[in-house]
Structures are given as structure tokens and as C-alpha cells.
mmCIF file of all heavy atoms in Angstrom:
data_model
loop_
_atom_site.group_PDB
_atom_site.id
_atom_site.type_symbol
_atom_site.label_atom_id
_atom_site.label_comp_id
_atom_site.label_asym_id
_atom_site.label_seq_id
_atom_site.Cartn_x
_atom_site.Cartn_y
_atom_site.Cartn_z
ATOM 1 N N PHE A 215 -7.825 -24.449 17.143
ATOM 2 C CA PHE A 215 -7.104 -23.348 16.567
ATOM 3 C C PHE A 215 -7.240 -22.137 17.486
ATOM 4 O O PHE A 215 -8.321 -21.758 17.963
ATOM 5 C CB PHE A 215 -7.625 -23.067 15.193
ATOM 6 C CG PHE A 215 -7.142 -21.733 14.663
ATOM 7 C CD1 PHE A 215 -5.859 -21.543 14.288
ATOM 8 C CD2 PHE A 215 -8.026 -20.639 14.549
ATOM 9 C CE1 PHE A 215 -5.365 -20.297 13.779
ATOM 10 C CE2 PHE A 215 -7.598 -19.447 14.145
ATOM 11 C CZ PHE A 215 -6.325 -19.238 13.666
ATOM 12 N N VAL A 216 -6.076 -21.435 17.643
ATOM 13 C CA VAL A 216 -6.075 -20.221 18.463
ATOM 14 C C VAL A 216 -5.707 -18.980 17.626
ATOM 15 O O VAL A 216 -6.462 -18.058 17.598
ATOM 16 C CB VAL A 216 -5.077 -20.331 19.648
ATOM 17 C CG1 VAL A 216 -4.926 -19.054 20.429
ATOM 18 C CG2 VAL A 216 -5.475 -21.467 20.589
ATOM 19 N N ALA A 217 -4.577 -19.023 16.939
ATOM 20 C CA ALA A 217 -4.150 -17.915 16.152
ATOM 21 C C ALA A 217 -3.093 -18.335 15.130
ATOM 22 O O ALA A 217 -2.439 -19.367 15.306
ATOM 23 C CB ALA A 217 -3.539 -16.840 17.027
ATOM 24 N N THR A 218 -2.960 -17.512 14.078
ATOM 25 C CA THR A 218 -1.924 -17.853 13.099
ATOM 26 C C THR A 218 -1.463 -16.566 12.475
ATOM 27 O O THR A 218 -2.119 -15.514 12.447
ATOM 28 C CB THR A 218 -2.506 -18.756 11.944
ATOM 29 O OG1 THR A 218 -1.441 -19.096 10.981
ATOM 30 C CG2 THR A 218 -3.643 -18.098 11.232
ATOM 31 N N ILE A 219 -0.226 -16.576 11.972
ATOM 32 C CA ILE A 219 0.447 -15.442 11.384
ATOM 33 C C ILE A 219 1.208 -15.825 10.160
ATOM 34 O O ILE A 219 1.884 -16.908 10.139
ATOM 35 C CB ILE A 219 1.302 -14.749 12.384
ATOM 36 C CG1 ILE A 219 1.831 -13.342 11.872
ATOM 37 C CG2 ILE A 219 2.472 -15.640 12.893
ATOM 38 C CD1 ILE A 219 2.371 -12.491 12.975
ATOM 39 N N SER A 220 1.177 -15.057 9.063
ATOM 40 C CA SER A 220 1.879 -15.338 7.916
ATOM 41 C C SER A 220 3.356 -15.053 8.044
ATOM 42 O O SER A 220 3.804 -14.446 9.022
ATOM 43 C CB SER A 220 1.309 -14.479 6.750
ATOM 44 O OG SER A 220 1.465 -13.090 7.057
ATOM 45 N N ARG A 221 4.134 -15.482 7.070
ATOM 46 C CA ARG A 221 5.589 -15.313 7.132
ATOM 47 C C ARG A 221 5.945 -13.842 7.251
ATOM 48 O O ARG A 221 6.863 -13.535 8.021
ATOM 49 C CB ARG A 221 6.206 -15.929 5.849
ATOM 50 C CG ARG A 221 7.676 -15.744 5.750
ATOM 51 C CD ARG A 221 8.293 -16.540 4.643
ATOM 52 N NE ARG A 221 7.780 -16.152 3.282
ATOM 53 C CZ ARG A 221 8.354 -15.209 2.558
ATOM 54 N NH1 ARG A 221 9.416 -14.572 3.059
ATOM 55 N NH2 ARG A 221 7.840 -14.921 1.372
ATOM 56 N N ASN A 222 5.210 -12.983 6.515
ATOM 57 C CA ASN A 222 5.605 -11.583 6.575
ATOM 58 C C ASN A 222 4.886 -10.803 7.704
ATOM 59 O O ASN A 222 5.087 -9.627 7.873
ATOM 60 C CB ASN A 222 5.344 -10.911 5.285
ATOM 61 C CG ASN A 222 3.857 -10.947 4.849
ATOM 62 O OD1 ASN A 222 3.015 -11.306 5.627
ATOM 63 N ND2 ASN A 222 3.621 -10.624 3.600
ATOM 64 N N GLY A 223 4.094 -11.490 8.435
ATOM 65 C CA GLY A 223 3.430 -10.932 9.601
ATOM 66 C C GLY A 223 2.177 -10.076 9.275
ATOM 67 O O GLY A 223 1.535 -9.554 10.140
ATOM 68 N N ILE A 224 1.836 -9.950 8.004
ATOM 69 C CA ILE A 224 0.698 -9.107 7.612
ATOM 70 C C ILE A 224 -0.625 -9.781 7.811
ATOM 71 O O ILE A 224 -1.604 -9.176 8.210
ATOM 72 C CB ILE A 224 0.864 -8.689 6.118
ATOM 73 C CG1 ILE A 224 2.035 -7.756 5.927
ATOM 74 C CG2 ILE A 224 -0.428 -8.090 5.590
ATOM 75 C CD1 ILE A 224 2.382 -7.375 4.545
ATOM 76 N N THR A 225 -0.703 -11.090 7.577
ATOM 77 C CA THR A 225 -1.910 -11.809 7.727
ATOM 78 C C THR A 225 -1.991 -12.535 9.048
ATOM 79 O O THR A 225 -1.093 -13.247 9.456
ATOM 80 C CB THR A 225 -2.030 -12.887 6.600
ATOM 81 O OG1 THR A 225 -1.961 -12.251 5.318
ATOM 82 C CG2 THR A 225 -3.403 -13.612 6.714
ATOM 83 N N THR A 226 -3.098 -12.264 9.824
ATOM 84 C CA THR A 226 -3.332 -12.947 11.072
ATOM 85 C C THR A 226 -4.776 -13.349 11.143
ATOM 86 O O THR A 226 -5.674 -12.653 10.652
ATOM 87 C CB THR A 226 -3.024 -12.066 12.299
ATOM 88 O OG1 THR A 226 -3.810 -10.860 12.260
ATOM 89 C CG2 THR A 226 -1.529 -11.727 12.316
ATOM 90 N N TYR A 227 -5.056 -14.488 11.816
ATOM 91 C CA TYR A 227 -6.390 -14.970 12.024
ATOM 92 C C TYR A 227 -6.462 -15.467 13.464
ATOM 93 O O TYR A 227 -5.445 -15.926 14.009
ATOM 94 C CB TYR A 227 -6.789 -16.171 11.091
ATOM 95 C CG TYR A 227 -6.718 -15.848 9.638
ATOM 96 C CD1 TYR A 227 -5.867 -16.517 8.825
ATOM 97 C CD2 TYR A 227 -7.543 -14.862 9.063
ATOM 98 C CE1 TYR A 227 -5.817 -16.273 7.477
ATOM 99 C CE2 TYR A 227 -7.486 -14.597 7.728
ATOM 100 C CZ TYR A 227 -6.632 -15.289 6.899
ATOM 101 O OH TYR A 227 -6.629 -15.046 5.579
ATOM 102 N N TYR A 228 -7.668 -15.329 14.041
ATOM 103 C CA TYR A 228 -7.852 -15.739 15.426
ATOM 104 C C TYR A 228 -9.058 -16.607 15.559
ATOM 105 O O TYR A 228 -10.090 -16.457 14.806
ATOM 106 C CB TYR A 228 -7.993 -14.495 16.307
ATOM 107 C CG TYR A 228 -6.777 -13.641 16.406
ATOM 108 C CD1 TYR A 228 -6.600 -12.569 15.559
ATOM 109 C CD2 TYR A 228 -5.787 -13.938 17.357
ATOM 110 C CE1 TYR A 228 -5.381 -11.820 15.611
ATOM 111 C CE2 TYR A 228 -4.640 -13.182 17.402
ATOM 112 C CZ TYR A 228 -4.455 -12.165 16.536
ATOM 113 O OH TYR A 228 -3.332 -11.350 16.644
ATOM 114 N N GLY A 229 -9.011 -17.561 16.537
ATOM 115 C CA GLY A 229 -10.201 -18.298 16.864
ATOM 116 C C GLY A 229 -11.248 -17.418 17.453
ATOM 117 O O GLY A 229 -10.917 -16.362 18.168
ATOM 118 N N GLU A 230 -12.492 -17.693 17.362
ATOM 119 C CA GLU A 230 -13.601 -16.894 17.824
ATOM 120 C C GLU A 230 -13.496 -16.670 19.307
ATOM 121 O O GLU A 230 -13.756 -15.584 19.825
ATOM 122 C CB GLU A 230 -14.941 -17.476 17.457
ATOM 123 C CG GLU A 230 -15.316 -17.360 16.022
ATOM 124 C CD GLU A 230 -15.462 -15.869 15.573
ATOM 125 O OE1 GLU A 230 -15.924 -15.068 16.350
ATOM 126 O OE2 GLU A 230 -15.021 -15.562 14.495
ATOM 127 N N SER A 231 -13.094 -17.711 20.055
ATOM 128 C CA SER A 231 -13.079 -17.592 21.528
ATOM 129 C C SER A 231 -11.953 -16.686 22.052
ATOM 130 O O SER A 231 -12.019 -16.345 23.226
ATOM 131 C CB SER A 231 -12.981 -18.994 22.139
ATOM 132 O OG SER A 231 -11.806 -19.592 21.742
ATOM 133 N N VAL A 232 -11.023 -16.295 21.232
ATOM 134 C CA VAL A 232 -9.923 -15.520 21.729
ATOM 135 C C VAL A 232 -9.832 -14.131 21.066
ATOM 136 O O VAL A 232 -8.953 -13.333 21.452
ATOM 137 C CB VAL A 232 -8.565 -16.254 21.550
ATOM 138 C CG1 VAL A 232 -8.620 -17.644 22.196
ATOM 139 C CG2 VAL A 232 -8.151 -16.350 20.132
ATOM 140 N N LYS A 233 -10.643 -13.899 20.100
ATOM 141 C CA LYS A 233 -10.574 -12.614 19.407
ATOM 142 C C LYS A 233 -10.794 -11.443 20.392
ATOM 143 O O LYS A 233 -11.620 -11.487 21.253
ATOM 144 C CB LYS A 233 -11.732 -12.523 18.356
ATOM 145 C CG LYS A 233 -11.374 -13.159 17.056
ATOM 146 C CD LYS A 233 -12.498 -13.037 16.010
ATOM 147 C CE LYS A 233 -12.186 -13.653 14.699
ATOM 148 N NZ LYS A 233 -13.271 -13.556 13.766
ATOM 149 N N GLY A 234 -9.919 -10.477 20.213
ATOM 150 C CA GLY A 234 -9.988 -9.300 21.081
ATOM 151 C C GLY A 234 -9.222 -9.463 22.357
ATOM 152 O O GLY A 234 -9.018 -8.510 23.149
ATOM 153 N N ARG A 235 -8.779 -10.641 22.723
ATOM 154 C CA ARG A 235 -8.071 -10.923 23.963
ATOM 155 C C ARG A 235 -6.619 -11.381 23.710
ATOM 156 O O ARG A 235 -5.718 -11.120 24.491
ATOM 157 C CB ARG A 235 -8.776 -12.001 24.816
ATOM 158 C CG ARG A 235 -10.159 -11.591 25.213
ATOM 159 C CD ARG A 235 -10.754 -12.648 26.190
ATOM 160 N NE ARG A 235 -10.859 -13.971 25.626
ATOM 161 C CZ ARG A 235 -10.257 -15.078 26.170
ATOM 162 N NH1 ARG A 235 -9.520 -14.933 27.223
ATOM 163 N NH2 ARG A 235 -10.401 -16.236 25.613
ATOM 164 N N PHE A 236 -6.418 -12.061 22.596
ATOM 165 C CA PHE A 236 -5.095 -12.612 22.278
ATOM 166 C C PHE A 236 -4.512 -11.914 21.061
ATOM 167 O O PHE A 236 -5.262 -11.431 20.215
ATOM 168 C CB PHE A 236 -5.149 -14.154 21.957
ATOM 169 C CG PHE A 236 -5.478 -15.008 23.109
ATOM 170 C CD1 PHE A 236 -5.910 -14.535 24.340
ATOM 171 C CD2 PHE A 236 -5.327 -16.405 22.970
ATOM 172 C CE1 PHE A 236 -6.218 -15.395 25.422
ATOM 173 C CE2 PHE A 236 -5.596 -17.257 24.025
ATOM 174 C CZ PHE A 236 -6.040 -16.764 25.223
ATOM 175 N N ALA A 237 -3.207 -11.843 21.007
ATOM 176 C CA ALA A 237 -2.520 -11.199 19.864
ATOM 177 C C ALA A 237 -1.331 -12.047 19.514
ATOM 178 O O ALA A 237 -0.449 -12.300 20.377
ATOM 179 C CB ALA A 237 -2.146 -9.805 20.147
ATOM 180 N N ILE A 238 -1.196 -12.383 18.209
ATOM 181 C CA ILE A 238 -0.033 -13.137 17.753
ATOM 182 C C ILE A 238 0.883 -12.133 17.054
ATOM 183 O O ILE A 238 0.449 -11.194 16.378
ATOM 184 C CB ILE A 238 -0.420 -14.254 16.788
ATOM 185 C CG1 ILE A 238 0.745 -15.158 16.459
ATOM 186 C CG2 ILE A 238 -1.098 -13.738 15.511
ATOM 187 C CD1 ILE A 238 0.318 -16.435 15.724
ATOM 188 N N SER A 239 2.182 -12.316 17.262
ATOM 189 C CA SER A 239 3.158 -11.472 16.585
ATOM 190 C C SER A 239 4.417 -12.330 16.373
ATOM 191 O O SER A 239 4.594 -13.406 16.873
ATOM 192 C CB SER A 239 3.489 -10.253 17.446
ATOM 193 O OG SER A 239 4.041 -10.645 18.678
ATOM 194 N N ARG A 240 5.350 -11.750 15.526
ATOM 195 C CA ARG A 240 6.601 -12.495 15.319
ATOM 196 C C ARG A 240 7.739 -11.513 15.217
ATOM 197 O O ARG A 240 7.566 -10.347 14.819
ATOM 198 C CB ARG A 240 6.509 -13.294 14.058
ATOM 199 C CG ARG A 240 6.332 -12.535 12.745
ATOM 200 C CD ARG A 240 5.948 -13.505 11.616
ATOM 201 N NE ARG A 240 6.963 -14.541 11.438
ATOM 202 C CZ ARG A 240 6.765 -15.725 10.881
ATOM 203 N NH1 ARG A 240 5.548 -16.054 10.403
ATOM 204 N NH2 ARG A 240 7.745 -16.619 10.750
ATOM 205 N N ASP A 241 8.913 -11.969 15.609
ATOM 206 C CA ASP A 241 10.141 -11.225 15.458
ATOM 207 C C ASP A 241 11.085 -12.198 14.702
ATOM 208 O O ASP A 241 11.726 -13.061 15.297
ATOM 209 C CB ASP A 241 10.726 -10.858 16.817
ATOM 210 C CG ASP A 241 11.918 -9.980 16.745
ATOM 211 O OD1 ASP A 241 12.589 -10.007 15.655
ATOM 212 O OD2 ASP A 241 12.246 -9.302 17.733
ATOM 213 N N ASN A 242 11.151 -12.034 13.401
ATOM 214 C CA ASN A 242 11.950 -12.928 12.584
ATOM 215 C C ASN A 242 13.462 -12.842 12.912
ATOM 216 O O ASN A 242 14.200 -13.796 12.779
ATOM 217 C CB ASN A 242 11.682 -12.718 11.087
ATOM 218 C CG ASN A 242 10.337 -13.272 10.649
ATOM 219 O OD1 ASN A 242 9.768 -14.153 11.326
ATOM 220 N ND2 ASN A 242 9.839 -12.704 9.578
ATOM 221 N N ALA A 243 13.912 -11.669 13.372
ATOM 222 C CA ALA A 243 15.244 -11.510 13.713
ATOM 223 C C ALA A 243 15.640 -12.352 14.902
ATOM 224 O O ALA A 243 16.765 -12.830 15.069
ATOM 225 C CB ALA A 243 15.562 -10.020 14.044
ATOM 226 N N LYS A 244 14.638 -12.592 15.799
ATOM 227 C CA LYS A 244 14.854 -13.430 16.948
ATOM 228 C C LYS A 244 14.333 -14.886 16.785
ATOM 229 O O LYS A 244 14.386 -15.682 17.720
ATOM 230 C CB LYS A 244 14.152 -12.828 18.198
ATOM 231 C CG LYS A 244 14.733 -11.507 18.616
ATOM 232 C CD LYS A 244 14.079 -11.001 19.835
ATOM 233 C CE LYS A 244 14.719 -9.683 20.327
ATOM 234 N NZ LYS A 244 14.012 -9.157 21.567
ATOM 235 N N ASN A 245 13.890 -15.164 15.555
ATOM 236 C CA ASN A 245 13.427 -16.485 15.205
ATOM 237 C C ASN A 245 12.304 -16.970 16.228
ATOM 238 O O ASN A 245 12.281 -18.121 16.611
ATOM 239 C CB ASN A 245 14.636 -17.471 15.279
ATOM 240 C CG ASN A 245 14.688 -18.286 14.024
ATOM 241 O OD1 ASN A 245 14.185 -17.940 12.937
ATOM 242 N ND2 ASN A 245 15.440 -19.379 14.109
ATOM 243 N N THR A 246 11.442 -16.015 16.526
ATOM 244 C CA THR A 246 10.442 -16.315 17.611
ATOM 245 C C THR A 246 9.091 -15.730 17.203
ATOM 246 O O THR A 246 8.967 -14.690 16.598
ATOM 247 C CB THR A 246 10.890 -15.682 18.933
ATOM 248 O OG1 THR A 246 12.170 -16.241 19.307
ATOM 249 C CG2 THR A 246 9.911 -16.049 20.073
#
């Protein structure tokens, strides 16, 4: 596991090895 994001983008979790270095985000308008 690396990272996850909820449908509304409010909830995110990160794996311990990537915390502080990786960031997950979403643009629902771009379906990405």
C-alpha cells in the first residue's frame, strides 16, 4: 500500500515508508 483517497478527497492515508514524501490528490473534473 502506498496511498489512498476518498471519493470527496477529504480522507487520505499513506504508507509509513512514503509519509511526508508522497501526496495523493484527485481532480474529479478530469477523471484523474
Side-chain angles (χ1 to χ4, degrees):
F215 166 72
V216 175
T218 182
I219 188 165
S220 60
R221 176 171 63 89
N222 61 11
I224 291 177
T225 304
T226 58
Y227 301 120
Y228 295 92
E230 285 298 322
S231 61
V232 306
K233 277 183 181 177
R235 299 188 298 123
F236 290 11
I238 189 170
S239 61
R240 65 190 303 156
D241 185 339
N242 286 338
K244 294 184 177 179
N245 234 20
T246 302

